[in-house]
Amino acid sequence: MNFFSRLIVDIAYFIHTSDAYQHKKRFFYDLLENNKYKYKKVFDIFMIILIFLSVFILISEVKHQVPAYIKYFNIYVISIIFFIEYLLRFWTSSSVCEIIIAKSEHDTMLGREFSLSRAIIKVLKAKLNFIFSFKAIIDLLAILPFFHELRLLRLFVLFRVFKLFRYTTSFQIFASVLSTKKFEFIILLMFASIVVFVSSVLVYVMEANNPDSPVNTLFDALYWSIVTISTVGYGDVTAVTTEGRIVAMFVIIAGVSVLAFTTSIVVSAFTEKLDEIKETKTIEDIRKLKKFYLICGYEQVAQEVAKKLANSMTTIIVLDEDEHRIAHAKRDGLVALNYDPGDTHSYKKIGLDLSTQVKSVLCLRESDVENVYTTLTIRSIDKEVNIVSLLMDDTNRNKLTFAGVNEILYPKGLVGMISKELIGRPVAFEVIHALRNEYFGVNIEEILVDDRMSEKIIYVNELNNTKFRVVLLGIYKKDTKRFFFNPIDATMLESGDYLLVIGKTIFIKEFEKYLHKKTKK
Amino acid sequence: MKSKMALIFGYNDYALEIAKNIADKYGSVVIYSLHSEQDSLKNKSDFEIRGLDLSDNWDGINENFDFENSIAFCVLEDSAENIFLTISLRSLFSDLHIIALSNNKETANKLQMAGANRVIPLVQTTAEMIAEMMEKPIVKEVFHKILFESGELKITQVKINASNEYIGKEISQLDWNDKYGVIPLSMVHEDMRSEFIYSSKIKHHVIQEGDLFVIVGYENCIQEFEKSIGSRYDVNWCNWSR
């Protein structure tokens, strides 16, 4: 490798491994291309405003005298901002260093001499790919009004409107939906072109020599033909000879069918893609959520759990690979996605952050195999998130624990324990069952003692719970993880403790309000 | 002599779990299976397995067990069969205590109509536990300790004795939690419906001899309480409403 090539490769490695450089490049990439990045939206809105300003100024110029500074702003400032954006996109579209390094490593591996010229060709190819991409061409055209001396170029301001495609996802969805019907559109276009071509030639031949006819040139005939086939029919140019009118009749019939065909293609494209569009929207909404429960598998137990959790403030998201179960979940009013919870790609596609967004994962398939599989998948992505799983066969308990489940619920064992209670201590069972289900409006709640509360209320006897007709069952001390039943009056309250109270739901709410109010004084 | 028995209908994991948990309370536990021959072969537990035919009239059972103190669990996997079994048992033995397992609300209602004293709604109960784990983890832990683990904290029902200082006092004047370390949760009416202790209905109820209270407390506190105030009253749970 000659000195110059070595220098280039060294520089490439240096830049590639520079944290500061990569960090900056990453930032601009996120800002321009990454839909998940929170500031991208701000940037997009800023650019949309610039586009509309630009168009507004163009329109104002037609009939009014626009102040010089506004013209200056429109021609230079906006264009320069667009130009900077273009350069940034050009920079982040591909990595020159990466291409050079990849080429050099590739050549070294094969025992070849590193060819700088080939590497440069690769770099050029990658950059030219960007330059000739549809969106980049529009970007470039939007900058052209900078050369305002060329009067025609002023109209290129309108290209700025096309830039809106970049900043609004709905346009992109619209374009992608229509592109699925490319084949049908091409056929339709060909059919329409042939009809237009044949009819305009025919009308020209039949009408051009007739002095009464407004059709004098081939352009007139083409104009008439397009106005007629589109079913617009201005009436400024019409066929006057019998032959011309016969042609007109055919064109009109063809026009109706072209219009009907176009409508049906657009409608069918949207119906076919509707589920996909809805799914994209759901995923976008999920990404914005802060805390939610993730239910994997929507079977009987899951349906009931979702009903019970519906009262809580936390959203529930359901993942299941079965379409019918997902349809069921949607009917139940839940946010549900037809994704396999046992597949890591599902989580990548949705863009979930398991550690920060998910409060708990509930593996509620009524099959241990599925639950173990889902647990392992989730654990492979995140080690911390709380996982609760159903256990159908006690022999699989160890497997679930080994896979990384935090809490296991074994319904069969529960039946055994309930039976024992029903026989041995029916009172206890019934009372607790009634409390759990809020029969007679009586409920049990946990109230967190926060910093402010613990500063104002030091001892248990200051709680005043009897005044609110609330029974203080006990205090759960967070640091020792112990439950103190019926604490004596002199028990100290500390931040992080939980009060377990029983009472009518409304009284508990009043009591809780009072505790918070008291702290404000 | 007629014996106190636990009859479990259906041979499956539920039956075995129930049998395991209640074995120490009943003299004998018998599992009835629809496919007794196959199930006897694979049976590894100590429990006896007998054959069951849904069209049978159970003359054999009729003679040698004490209905009043015996209990039947209907845990057949097929809901229709389970309901049929419950209704057959009820029609034959009107005093038998029947506990049935149901998979959903609809079956639970039917089982109750068929005459089951208590229905364990399996799916609902499991879901309740999971929801509680998520929303009220501490409540779940404390309840679990009171109910299923042999912790010291107990919940029980006490009947007020003839002579003690509380007779004639209003419920709102009770100071049992300071004095005895037990917390009264509810009072039980004659029709076995319980009323929460702070409800406005019974707040001014004057305590009389024979009133029933549901109290929570440590075992030793409850014993102390019983000595001076009342005796533990084991209600026959099958009369317990709901």
Side-chain angles (χ1 to χ4, degrees), chain A residues 228-244:
Chain A
T228 311
I229 201 170
S230 66
T231 71
V232 173
Y234 290 126
D236 54 346
V237 180
T238 47
V240 291
T241 61
T242 312
E243 297 86 345

Side-chain angles (χ1 to χ4, degrees), chain A residues 141 211 416:
Chain A
L141 291 177

Side-chain angles (χ1 to χ4, degrees), chain B residues 154-156 158 180 182 215-227 232:
Chain B
K154 292 269 155 71
I155 184 163
T156 190
V158 180
Y180 299 100
V182 299
I215 59 167
V216 195
Y218 286 113
E219 182 63 36
N220 51 355
C221 296
I222 293 178
Q223 281 172 9
E224 199 62 33
F225 180 75
E226 282 178 327
K227 272 183 206 161
R232 211 172 288 214

Side-chain angles (χ1 to χ4, degrees), chain A residues 364-468:
Chain A
L364 301 181
R365 279 299 298 275
E366 283 154 33
S367 143
D368 290 336
V369 179
E370 295 290 338
N371 286 339
V372 166
Y373 194 66
T374 305
T375 307
L376 277 175
T377 309
I378 292 169
R379 275 288 170 256
S380 70
I381 304 169
D382 191 274
K383 297 269 179 272
E384 300 301 320
V385 65
N386 185 43
I387 304 179
V388 178
S389 173
L390 266 190
L391 171 68
M392 302 313 285
D393 187 345
D394 206 24
T395 49
N396 294 327
R397 188 179 285 270
N398 287 344
K399 291 165 204 163
L400 273 177
T401 317
F402 189 72
V405 171
N406 299 82
E407 281 182 280
I408 290 173
L409 209 103
Y410 179 48
K412 287 168 185 164
L414 198 64
V415 169
M417 288 195 284
I418 290 172
S419 309
K420 190 181 176 185
E421 282 307 308
L422 277 172
I423 290 162
R425 293 190 292 165
V427 179
F429 186 82
E430 291 294 346
V431 170
I432 289 181
H433 184 68
L435 278 176
R436 277 200 172 132
N437 288 289
E438 278 189 55
Y439 287 144
F440 318 120
V442 177
N443 189 13
I444 179 156
E445 280 292 342
E446 28 192 82
I447 300 175
L448 173 71
V449 179
D450 56 22
D451 282 338
R452 290 161 62 243
M453 216 188 275
S454 66
E455 276 170 26
K456 302 282 174 183
I457 306 171
I458 297 163
Y459 299 108
V460 166
N461 63 346
E462 292 167 18
L463 283 170
N464 257 339
N465 56 300
T466 45
K467 206 175 125 192
F468 288 86

Side-chain angles (χ1 to χ4, degrees), chain B residues 99-135:
Chain B
I99 297 179
L101 191 66
S102 86
N103 273 328
N104 55 51
K105 240 182 180 161
E106 204 188 314
T107 323
N109 289 340
K110 285 180 188 158
L111 282 166
Q112 225 142 23
M113 283 161 67
N117 299 86
R118 190 70 167 86
V119 179
I120 304 175
L122 179 64
V123 174
Q124 269 93 340
T125 316
T126 312
E128 256 165 44
M129 295 281 275
I130 294 173
E132 203 167 70
M133 251 180 208
M134 299 293 104
E135 292 294 306

Side-chain angles (χ1 to χ4, degrees), chain A residues 17 23 48 77 79 102 107 120 125 131 178-179 214 232 256 258 276 294 307 354 368 390 411 431 450 457 459 492 516:
Chain A
T17 52
H23 186 77
I48 290 171
V77 180
S79 298
D107 286 349
I120 289 170
K125 259 189 191 167
I131 292 171
L178 292 186
S179 71
V232 173
V256 172
V258 166
E276 215 173 285
L294 186 69
K307 268 187 219 160
L354 284 164
D368 290 336
L390 266 190
V431 170
D450 56 22
I457 306 171
Y459 299 108
M492 269 183 72
H516 287 291

Side-chain angles (χ1 to χ4, degrees), chain A residues 293 300-301 304-305 308-309 312 314 359-360 362 364 386 388 390 392 407-437 439-440 442-446 466 469-473 476 481 483 485-486 498 500 502-504, chain B residues 13-14 17-18 21-22 25-26 71 73 99 101 103-104 118 120 122-144 146-149 153-157 177 181-186 193-194 196-200 203 214 216-218 235 237 240 242:
Chain A
Y293 290 121
Q300 277 197 350
V301 175
E304 285 299 321
V305 170
K308 301 264 169 205
L309 288 176
S312 74
T314 322
K359 209 167 164 188
S360 274
L362 308 170
L364 301 181
N386 185 43
V388 178
L390 266 190
M392 302 313 285
E407 281 182 280
I408 290 173
L409 209 103
Y410 179 48
K412 287 168 185 164
L414 198 64
V415 169
M417 288 195 284
I418 290 172
S419 309
K420 190 181 176 185
E421 282 307 308
L422 277 172
I423 290 162
R425 293 190 292 165
V427 179
F429 186 82
E430 291 294 346
V431 170
I432 289 181
H433 184 68
L435 278 176
R436 277 200 172 132
N437 288 289
Y439 287 144
F440 318 120
V442 177
N443 189 13
I444 179 156
E445 280 292 342
E446 28 192 82
T466 45
R469 303 196 201 170
V470 168
V471 175
L472 176 70
L473 195 68
Y476 182 86
K481 288 197 173 166
F483 178 67
F485 168 74
N486 190 22
Y498 280 91
L500 241 65
I502 300 177
K504 292 247 179 196
Chain B
D13 289 339
Y14 296 107
E17 281 291 336
I18 294 171
N21 277 289
I22 62 167
K25 293 263 163 101
Y26 286 86
I71 195 158
F73 289 94
I99 297 179
L101 191 66
N103 273 328
N104 55 51
R118 190 70 167 86
I120 304 175
L122 179 64
V123 174
Q124 269 93 340
T125 316
T126 312
E128 256 165 44
M129 295 281 275
I130 294 173
E132 203 167 70
M133 251 180 208
M134 299 293 104
E135 292 294 306
K136 300 177 188 173
I138 297 160
V139 170
K140 188 241 152 199
E141 207 183 307
V142 172
F143 276 176
H144 201 82
I146 297 179
L147 274 181
F148 302 128
E149 287 169 26
L153 202 57
K154 292 269 155 71
I155 184 163
T156 190
Q157 190 165 319
N177 52 343
V182 299
I183 296 179
L185 285 184
S186 54
R193 280 198 173 273
S194 60
F196 181 57
I197 205 83
Y198 283 137
S199 79
S200 40
K203 214 172 74 174
V214 176
V216 195
Y218 286 113
V235 61
W237 62 263
W240 189 265
R242 204 188 42 255

